[in-house]
Amino acid sequence: MPLYKTLPPPSERMGMLWALSGVRDIAVIDYGPEGTLAYFYHSLAHLGTSLKNRMYTLGTKEDEIIFGNSNRLFSAIEGIADRFKPEAIFVSQAPVSEIIGDDLESLCKSAEKKSGIAVVLLPNCGLKIGAEKGIRYVLNLLTQMFAVESMEKDNTLRCNLLGSCCDEYGFYQDAEEISRMMESYFQMSVNCVFPSDCSVENIRSMSRADINLVLREEALDSAILLEERFGIPYVCGRPYGPADIKRWANEIGEFIKRSPSGSLDEELNSAWVEIKELSFLRGKRAYICGSAETAKGLTNLLKGLDMEAECHINTEDRDIATFSSDISDYDYVLADEFTIDKFQKQSSVNSIRIANPVKKIDGPRLGYCGIHGLIALVNMLKKQ
Amino acid sequence: MIDYIMSCLSLLNRVSEIESSKDIIGRLHCQSSGVICPLHGVMLLNELFEDTATLIVGAPECVYYPQVGTLIRLDNPTLSGIYTYVMDENDVVFGSADGLKIAAQAVLEDPEIAALFLVSSCVFELIGDDLRAISADIANALGKPVFPVHTSNYDHHCPDYFKAIERMLEAIAPVLSKQETIPHSVNLLGRIFHGNAKGSLRQSELGAMLEKNGVTINMEFPSRVRLEHIKQLTAAELNIVTDRVGIRLAKIMQEKYGIPYVLFESTFSHQTIEETYLSIGRFLRVAWQDEVSRLSAHTKERISEVSCIVEGETIIAGCLPPDPFQSVAFLSKLKMKPLVVASACLSRGSEEAIANLLKAGEDPYVIHACEREPMEEALKTLRPRFYVGHAPHEKVSALGIRHIGCFMAEPEHLGFRSIDNFLLRLESAAMQTPAEKGCD
């Protein structure tokens, strides 16, 4: 039953718009009522980010729904193309517009022909659950569209971070930490943080990278495409915990034929000193609920500390109206604040935020991958 | 850069070009943001009812965002009483009635929940499921009231979240029943919900006047209340509608229970305030003419005093309440030069205000109230002396512009005092030296 007491699962369309929000030099037009986009802006603030391009709403009204008014969409595309000259204009349809069934495909083609700027109609998916599918679609689309030509490489080692997207809690901090580690262990710079913080030009230049780091499963198609087009190898996953970090760094090293610098072992040794203080966690029960990469990564990490860790992925269809009542058996809950509230209502369980949404829009956010993420988590666990 | 800014302004219409709300969007045919969805109002009002639940039915994003809002606003969101029914393609093709009935039943099984608001949104309205019939079926089956509330963002009659609040208040009318009238008593129906406005109408000039003259305030509604207490509304002798969100309920109470109503909204018209006070006095047999005349004369005098100080000064303004066109017309009455007015749509009284503005020789630009970028550009380019509206105070002050918060954004800003209060803030901003900050 699609009944929810707390947060319902987001739609594919929401995932598409979240993924597009970080790409500079493009424009997005939302064909639908104005409130949808107003809410979207609020959602970005809740996700700890802001819009990096231009998004517009047509503010569709009743008469346009009855009689149709794709002319206004055409004029809007023309106006935006003429005034801002974006690299591409993406047209997204709100659920209401999907049902009306205007022929937007031919309209977009005509507008593209007239303006000379790529006009891309995003697929109908406002009624489909699964933001991650929308994110996957956009990543693939942008890669297909812009990462086309092979660019000349120089002596600088470069990597692309594929799949850093604002729907994940701590996405920014995770990308920062991976960038730091790549610089520190391999003297490698980040070419493109895709798609949370990049320009169209950055995407075009993805072919210059020596390796792609796939930060989430939704970016895998892009990585495969880049490998096919430019022969760039890729490494999947974000590293959580010392063993995982070591494995991840060595895997990268094998691909680029370079061993990680000594700073990797130095940092890992310091981390072990901190971890040893966590022996009190042995046998404790933890409930972990977050995005796929984070939840799986942290579950493995806590299991490595001999905790009983239970992994839940929040993109799965969780009917919280029928949330089980045996939640008082846990010692720790690592989740979003809705779930944490639910637990704390029943018992004084220790809690760590690892997923969206959060209550305080401007509160501090932490990423938990890499060395710095590990230290942050250890400190949080010690504080409890 | 100057070219860009000037072209930014060239996309805007002027007041003289505004014939309908659509003209406010300007010449780009689309806007960078819009007014927040009516479902936001549903979320706000739901918080005030202690023992009802609200079930919103709609597309995933339409029900996702109000829930995020609930999480941010409430200390314990799991107690919020908001439930959501997520529609999918099957609901669109085959209708959602059956699924919705099962969902509503699951919600109403909770003995703590006395009634349910069943709230529609765009997709539900578009496919034409019969919300009223579904609500009646659920109510009959479960023996608890179910209030159908139609909201859809594309509906011309439901352009913003205030309208959704109005509709929720109207929907609750069936629980009313005639109570014994308390002589000399009023309800204060409706309140300002802008920007999370807090405060009580009892603290307003109107509240003080009523109390001073022995009038009992029966209920301030909506306010935090249990369902059974709402019945008490019909014990009042008169409804004073203090914000438009209460008007539909007031009309129903007039028709069904013979309780008259008087509209007493935030306004810059001291004549309207005076007439409304006198009208309330006649209904309640209160002889407050002298006091009302004295307050009115004082405000009139203040208008004339402040007008001398701000004459010829430029201003950009736009926020609710009152209607931004009416507010800017008032500024032109103070002999100020309005350069831009920000508004989301035309409302009752806008047309008259526009006519007055044009008559005074003013024809400011119009910016959609939710468009941040053009407003920022207008402030940078036109550099008015004053700005009234929402914006980071430091940013506005850094441009050397005196920022005067909002016009009347608190529930207690009602009556002559609301005009006096604004004039005082305007006056003190005008007296400021440029180096001083914080006029509000």
Side-chain angles (χ1 to χ4, degrees):
Chain A
M1 181 171 51
L3 173 68
Y4 297 87
K5 173 75 180 83
T6 54
L7 205 61
S11 68
E12 283 186 35
R13 191 179 107 92
M14 293 163 75
M16 282 189 191
L17 294 177
W18 285 334
L20 285 170
S21 69
V23 183
R24 292 186 288 277
D25 315 321
I26 61 164
V28 180
I29 302 181
D30 190 40
Y31 188 39
E34 57 191 298
T36 325
L37 195 61
Y39 260 141
F40 171 73
Y41 282 126
H42 286 256
S43 84
L44 290 184
H46 297 155
L47 296 174
T49 188
S50 60
L51 187 65
K52 296 189 174 68
N53 52 50
R54 295 180 176 277
M55 283 206 186
Y56 295 90
T57 173
L58 276 200
T60 308
K61 289 291 177 196
E62 202 165 12
D63 51 343
E64 293 171 328
I65 284 172
I66 297 167
F67 303 112
N69 189 4
S70 40
N71 290 344
R72 193 152 71 87
L73 176 60
F74 193 89
S75 307
I77 295 172
E78 261 192 310
I80 289 165
D82 184 47
R83 180 169 161 69
F84 302 112
K85 299 190 174 38
E87 294 274 0
I89 298 174
F90 295 86
V91 177
S92 168
Q93 299 176 75
V96 165
S97 310
E98 289 179 18
I99 298 170
I100 313 167
D102 275 338
D103 181 9
L104 298 185
E105 200 151 339
S106 51
L107 182 143
C108 289
K109 277 182 190 157
S110 311
E112 179 172 295
K113 208 171 167 187
K114 194 164 181 206
S115 64
I117 286 173
V119 180
V120 182
L121 178 65
L122 297 171
N124 288 342
C125 52
L127 289 161
K128 289 179 185 152
I129 295 296
E132 69 285 358
K133 289 182 202 153
I135 292 167
R136 182 193 297 270
Y137 180 88
V138 164
L139 297 189
N140 207 12
L141 176 69
L142 294 173
T143 314
Q144 293 271 8
M145 279 179 72
F146 298 118
V148 180
E149 284 178 30
S150 183
M151 294 179 108
E152 207 173 311
K153 290 184 184 181
D154 52 25
N155 291 332
T156 313
L157 276 177
R158 291 188 177 88
C159 63
N160 297 316
L161 306 190
L162 306 184
S164 166
C165 188
C166 67
D167 65 313
E168 285 197 279
Y169 177 86
F171 73 98
Y172 176 80
Q173 289 75 11
D174 279 349
E176 286 275 292
E177 171 61 357
I178 300 232
S179 305
R180 185 198 67 80
M181 290 195 297
M182 294 307 284
E183 176 63 42
S184 171
Y185 308 158
F186 300 107
Q187 292 75 53
M188 187 182 278
S189 64
V190 173
N191 184 55
C192 179
V193 181
F194 181 60
S196 66
D197 188 12
C198 62
S199 63
V200 168
E201 199 48 43
N202 291 147
I203 304 173
R204 283 201 182 107
S205 72
M206 286 209 291
S207 63
R208 290 197 303 170
D210 299 278
I211 192 161
N212 283 321
L213 303 180
V214 182
L215 304 190
R216 61 192 285 170
E217 208 264 331
E218 287 73 33
L220 188 56
D221 292 347
S222 295
I224 292 170
L225 186 64
L226 291 167
E227 187 181 45
E228 283 169 4
R229 281 187 179 166
F230 311 113
I232 306 172
Y234 59 86
V235 168
C236 290
R238 293 193 297 254
Y240 290 90
D244 204 22
I245 293 170
K246 183 117 185 161
R247 177 203 57 75
W248 176 82
N250 286 335
E251 196 179 342
I252 293 169
E254 278 173 30
F255 276 115
I256 60 167
K257 297 182 178 50
R258 184 183 280 211
S259 299
S261 71
S263 58
L264 170 63
D265 285 332
E266 280 170 28
E267 289 183 355
L268 284 173
N269 289 339
S270 312
W272 274 116
V273 173
E274 303 275 342
I275 290 169
K276 277 181 186 158
E277 291 177 35
L278 295 177
S279 57
F280 65 93
L281 292 173
R282 195 164 296 146
K284 302 274 188 200
R285 290 194 71 200
Y287 180 99
I288 299 157
C289 181
S291 61
E293 286 293 335
T294 310
K296 285 178 195 165
L298 289 179
T299 302
N300 288 336
L301 170 54
L302 295 190
K303 278 182 177 171
L305 298 173
D306 294 329
M307 288 179 79
E308 284 181 44
E310 196 177 297
C311 180
H312 297 262
I313 295 168
N314 63 7
T315 49
E316 286 165 8
D317 196 349
R318 291 180 304 142
D319 185 348
I320 307 218
T322 55
F323 202 80
S324 67
S325 56
D326 60 348
I327 55 179
S328 54
D329 295 341
Y330 297 93
D331 303 296
Y332 288 86
V333 53
L334 286 74
D336 62 276
E337 280 191 279
F338 252 138
T339 308
I340 289 172
D341 267 357
K342 192 89 188 166
F343 273 82
Q344 289 187 332
K345 214 174 114 192
Q346 294 209 7
S347 65
S348 57
V349 63
N350 298 303
S351 66
I352 297 174
R353 274 194 310 261
I354 62 158
N356 286 317
V358 296
K359 279 186 181 174
K360 276 191 184 168
I361 291 176
D362 49 1
R365 286 167 190 264
L366 295 172
Y368 298 107
C369 85
I371 296 286
H372 286 178
L374 175 63
I375 302 289
L377 182 71
V378 168
N379 288 335
M380 297 285 283
L381 288 166
K382 275 190 203 163
K383 265 192 217 165
Q384 303 284 330
Chain B
M1 187 61 184
I2 293 294
D3 286 349
Y4 168 77
I5 290 166
M6 292 321 287
S7 72
C8 197
L9 293 176
S10 72
L11 289 171
L12 304 173
N13 283 327
R14 286 188 178 266
V15 162
S16 55
E17 294 168 288
I18 304 294
E19 288 177 4
S20 74
S21 295
K22 276 186 187 170
D23 298 323
I24 292 172
I25 291 181
R27 293 167 195 161
L28 202 53
H29 304 285
C30 56
Q31 54 200 96
S32 66
S33 182
V35 172
I36 203 156
C37 172
L39 289 174
H40 180 68
V42 171
M43 182 193 76
L44 291 178
L45 200 59
N46 169 75
E47 290 167 16
L48 295 178
F49 295 121
E50 289 180 19
D51 54 352
T52 65
T54 299
L55 176 57
I56 304 173
V57 51
E61 65 198 272
C62 304
V63 298
Y64 179 93
Y65 292 129
Q67 280 290 32
V68 172
T70 304
L71 172 72
I72 306 293
R73 289 175 58 81
L74 299 182
D75 288 339
N76 194 341
T78 49
L79 300 177
S80 78
I82 291 224
Y83 292 79
T84 55
Y85 178 92
V86 181
M87 295 179 80
D88 62 14
E89 285 162 342
N90 278 334
D91 289 310
V92 171
V93 177
F94 301 110
S96 57
D98 293 342
L100 202 46
K101 282 176 193 169
I102 297 168
Q105 186 169 352
V107 174
L108 283 171
E109 268 169 8
D110 183 344
E112 299 290 314
I113 296 174
L116 180 72
F117 287 96
L118 189 56
V119 181
S120 66
S121 58
C122 291
V123 171
F124 185 92
E125 290 292 321
L126 190 67
I127 62 173
D129 269 343
D130 189 343
L131 188 69
R132 200 162 288 274
I134 295 170
S135 302
D137 281 355
I138 299 167
N140 287 336
L142 301 175
K144 288 183 179 179
V146 178
F147 311 119
V149 183
H150 294 270
T151 70
S152 52
N153 200 193
Y154 62 76
D155 181 357
H156 285 295
H157 303 293
C158 194
D160 50 39
Y161 70 82
F162 313 116
K163 210 66 191 176
I165 292 172
E166 183 185 279
R167 288 183 177 186
M168 274 183 93
L169 294 178
E170 179 193 19
I172 212 165
V175 301
L176 300 178
S177 58
K178 185 63 191 157
Q179 308 291 314
E180 196 176 328
T181 305
I182 302 168
H184 237 51
S185 69
V186 297
N187 294 320
L188 303 180
L189 285 190
R191 48 157 286 193
I192 293 169
F193 281 88
H194 302 269
N196 302 328
K198 297 265 190 299
S200 167
L201 290 163
R202 290 172 197 265
Q203 313 300 321
S204 67
E205 175 192 282
L206 171 68
M209 287 281 280
L210 291 168
E211 193 185 0
K212 192 173 162 190
N213 288 278
V215 178
T216 306
I217 296 175
N218 176 50
M219 275 183 86
E220 197 181 337
F221 186 74
S223 55
R224 193 140 180 86
V225 69
R226 292 181 74 81
L227 189 69
E228 59 182 323
H229 295 137
I230 294 172
K231 291 177 187 157
Q232 192 58 27
L233 274 171
T234 58
E237 203 179 321
L238 175 72
N239 280 323
I240 302 177
V241 179
T242 52
D243 188 273
R244 205 139 269 277
V245 297
I247 195 122
R248 282 200 188 206
L249 181 59
K251 283 182 179 171
I252 291 171
M253 287 169 73
Q254 185 174 44
E255 281 166 23
K256 285 188 78 172
Y257 305 104
I259 303 169
Y261 75 89
V262 171
L263 189 58
F264 195 121
E265 290 181 294
S266 306
T267 176
F268 275 114
S269 165
H270 65 93
Q271 296 96 329
T272 303
I273 297 171
E274 185 171 351
E275 283 162 18
T276 311
Y277 266 127
L278 296 179
S279 173
I280 293 169
R282 281 194 294 277
F283 274 117
L284 297 172
R285 302 162 302 282
V286 174
W288 57 18
Q289 295 90 327
D290 292 347
E291 192 168 2
V292 170
S293 299
R294 188 180 54 74
L295 289 170
S296 182
H298 171 74
T299 299
K300 217 171 148 184
E301 198 179 312
R302 287 290 293 145
I303 289 172
S304 143
E305 278 171 15
V306 176
S307 163
C308 291
I309 298 170
V310 297
E311 183 175 355
E313 299 281 14
T314 53
I315 187 162
I316 288 182
C319 56
L320 289 167
D323 168 71
F325 292 100
Q326 290 188 41
S327 302
V328 171
F330 173 74
L331 297 173
S332 78
K333 201 173 149 193
L334 293 175
K335 297 177 187 153
M336 298 184 83
K337 305 281 299 171
L339 304 176
V340 176
V341 51
S343 173
C345 63
L346 297 182
S347 61
R348 199 179 60 100
S350 297
E351 278 182 34
E352 191 188 339
I354 287 174
N356 287 339
L357 265 172
L358 297 174
K359 213 165 132 188
E362 304 296 346
D363 193 10
Y365 289 109
V366 182
I367 290 179
H368 192 282
C370 299
E371 291 272 22
R372 211 176 53 190
E373 192 185 35
M375 180 55 90
E376 283 176 4
E377 294 303 344
L379 288 170
K380 278 182 204 160
T381 326
L382 301 173
R383 294 288 169 115
R385 184 92 188 276
F386 301 97
Y387 172 64
V388 188
H390 303 285
H393 193 73
E394 297 71 26
K395 261 188 167 181
V396 178
S397 299
L399 294 169
I401 301 167
R402 287 130 203 247
H403 187 198
I404 314 171
C406 294
F407 287 115
M408 301 174 180
E410 303 297 333
E412 60 264 34
H413 285 176
L414 211 55
F416 297 109
R417 199 199 289 168
S418 60
I419 306 178
D420 297 347
N421 181 295
F422 174 73
L423 290 172
L424 189 66
R425 286 182 290 142
L426 182 62
E427 185 182 43
S428 79
M431 301 295 197
Q432 252 179 5
T433 59
E436 285 179 304
K437 286 186 180 173
C439 325
D440 195 15

